[in-house]
Amino acid sequence: MSSVLAALLVTLLGVAYVKGYDYVKKRSPEHLAHFYLIMATVRMLLIGTAVALYVLFADSREDAVRFALVTLIMYAVMMVTTLTMRH
């Protein structure tokens, strides 16, 4: 269940970035750099918070480490995918 929620979070963050990028590019392309920096910060904070909360409330250390690794790998893949799609 936790992996599904992590995948959903990463997917939603990726979709929000792509849709936001399109919106900013259409309305005000000179602010794309600011948009990227803000979204990168938001994504890092949300992923970090989700991992920290899971680690804090996890029953076992092995589950916490596995969740953290899977989530961080999904985050890295999302970052690479969204950057290659839009740049």
Side-chain angles (χ1 to χ4, degrees):
M1 180 67 170
S2 60
S3 297
V4 173
L5 292 175
L8 182 62
L9 174 64
V10 170
T11 302
L12 289 174
L13 289 172
V15 169
Y17 174 78
V18 170
K19 295 296 181 183
Y21 182 91
D22 290 340
Y23 181 80
V24 172
K25 187 174 182 179
K26 181 179 177 183
R27 305 273 181 191
S28 156
E30 66 274 5
H31 291 105
L32 280 175
H34 297 122
F35 171 76
Y36 174 75
L37 291 174
I38 290 168
M39 280 301 293
T41 303
V42 167
R43 289 189 288 187
M44 281 188 279
L45 287 173
L46 287 174
I47 294 294
T49 302
V51 169
L53 286 174
Y54 188 84
V55 168
L56 186 64
F57 294 115
D59 293 335
S60 71
R61 184 176 185 275
E62 292 175 3
D63 288 343
V65 169
R66 192 175 310 121
F67 178 81
L69 285 174
V70 168
T71 305
L72 293 176
I73 289 169
M74 286 190 298
Y75 174 74
V77 169
M78 180 214 20
M79 289 294 288
V80 169
T81 303
T82 54
L83 286 175
T84 56
M85 285 175 56
R86 297 294 166 202
H87 294 288

